[in-house]
DNA sequence: ATGTTAAATGCAAATAAATATCATTTGATA
DNA sequence: TATCAAATGATATTTATTTGCATTTAACAT
């Protein structure tokens, strides 16, 4: 069976993209931070440890590319920048985000349960669904006092 | 019973904000475009018809204020700007957005069905949910060929 | 191994959405 | 009608992201 990294290499090759050092290092940052939702700046800062010569534009370009290849997902927590998380093929369609309206913390729940809803939506709307994005807003355990 | 506009006036008064001409006119734009998801620039252009002296900064400030007052909702369709729609108190928690990955068109479905999911999420996570946001990505009727 | 070539990079400049500054105007209240 | 904080419009500024371009590099063929 294929590792996540093998999948990256195959996807790049399939579309004629090169496997550069920069892309490897950025990919490693996501592997090492699977629980995080990283912004381009955050990725840039982490990458610079291993590869100080990298340019911020390369980070932006790589994030776009990885998203196109479904290697990472783009998220929006309305905090002024895009955020990304690794697609491990086990988290896809399988976790939602809980955003605390008090402290801003983002946590995750490993529940999906949208199949019935998607079915109903497809019937009612003639829209062919391939993905969904669910955010819950409210108060985290610490902020409920 | 209170009209939507009365609610706006009351909410403003309650918090010590003034009911200005600019705010009235921006509000009217949302009343007249209930099916739309408007960007600040779009609001600005529409407002200028009725009130050409208005400044773009006022539009931005008003949208922020209206959002704070729950008069409008902020949406993100990942097209480079924020978008807003009127809270009619009948659409709240009651429609989701369908985003076509081919043509970018955004449509709506009047289904909710998230109560069970929210219950389960609250139990599993100790997170107190007050709102949610659901987007479906896929292909609209026209783009399914 | 080496040469070839298109793809990718780093840097700097450019873009565009959103925010901040500040002098002037205006709505609410007395 | 006078008062005054709140709001506005114009403009400058900020910040995330994108683009242009000369240089470098990965992939592939010799
Ligand atoms: Mn996540
Ligand atoms: Mn809508
Ligand atoms: Zn919190
Ligand atoms: Zn479409």
């Amino acid at each position: 069976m294929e590792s996540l990294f093998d999948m990256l290499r195959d996807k790049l090759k399939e579309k004629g993209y090169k496997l550069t050092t920069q892309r490897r290092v950025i990919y490693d940052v996501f592997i090492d931070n699977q629980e995080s939702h990283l912004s381009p700046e955050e990725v840039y800062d982490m990458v610079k440890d291993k590869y100080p010569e990298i340019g911020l534009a390369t980070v932006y370009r790589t994030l776009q590319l990885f998203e196109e290849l479904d290697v990472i997902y783009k998220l929006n927590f309305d905090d002024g920048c895009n955020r990304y998380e690794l697609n491990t093929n086990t988290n896809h369609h399988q976790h939602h985000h809980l955003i605390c309206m008090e402290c801003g913390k983002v946590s995750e729940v490993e529940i999906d349960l949208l199949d019935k809803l998607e079915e109903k939506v497809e019937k009612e709307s003639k829209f062919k669904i391939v993905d969904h994005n669910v955010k819950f807003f409210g108060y985290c355990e610490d902020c409920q006092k």
Side-chain angles (χ1 to χ4, degrees), chain A:
Chain A
M1 57 147 244
E2 230 184 19
S3 76
L4 282 175
F5 177 74
D6 290 337
M7 285 189 51
L8 170 64
R9 193 184 36 216
D10 293 351
K11 283 176 176 176
L12 287 171
K13 177 165 233 173
E14 186 188 346
K15 301 227 184 172
Y17 298 127
K18 294 178 180 173
L19 179 52
T20 65
T21 310
Q22 291 89 338
R23 287 173 183 172
R24 281 173 197 273
V25 177
I26 291 173
Y27 187 73
D28 287 345
V29 164
F30 280 96
I31 289 288
D32 295 343
N33 293 277
Q34 301 205 21
E35 70 296 335
S36 320
H37 306 111
L38 300 172
S39 68
E41 288 288 343
E42 285 169 354
V43 172
Y44 179 57
D45 288 340
M46 305 182 99
V47 165
K48 273 196 296 193
D49 291 342
K50 295 180 187 174
Y51 199 96
E53 322 86 292
I54 202 166
L56 180 56
T58 300
V59 173
Y60 273 99
R61 284 183 289 232
T62 303
L63 294 177
Q64 270 184 212
L65 177 66
F66 282 5
E67 200 208 349
E68 178 195 324
L69 299 178
D70 282 320
V71 166
I72 58 177
Y73 292 119
K74 176 151 63 177
L75 307 166
N76 181 286
F77 299 137
D78 225 9
D79 63 345
C81 59
N82 289 322
R83 294 190 168 274
Y84 298 86
E85 69 184 356
L86 191 66
N87 171 12
T88 61
N89 282 333
T90 61
N91 70 1
H92 182 36
H93 265 226
Q94 237 149 325
H95 82 268
H96 306 309
H97 294 110
L98 311 176
I99 304 166
C100 181
M101 295 161 71
E102 182 68 28
C103 70
K105 195 174 69 187
V106 176
S107 42
E108 301 181 340
V109 268
E110 302 290 332
I111 304 178
D112 192 359
L113 287 187
L114 283 194
D115 294 344
K116 260 185 213 153
L117 178 53
E118 290 201 350
E119 242 174 70
K120 221 178 155 193
V121 169
E122 288 199 334
K123 239 173 244 164
E124 189 149 319
S125 65
K126 295 181 181 168
F127 188 91
K128 175 66 190 159
I129 297 174
V130 307
D131 198 3
H132 60 239
N133 178 302
V134 180
K135 291 184 281 193
F136 293 102
F137 301 94
Y139 298 97
C140 75
E141 199 174 354
D142 296 341
C143 295
Q144 280 175 48
K145 312 296 139 68

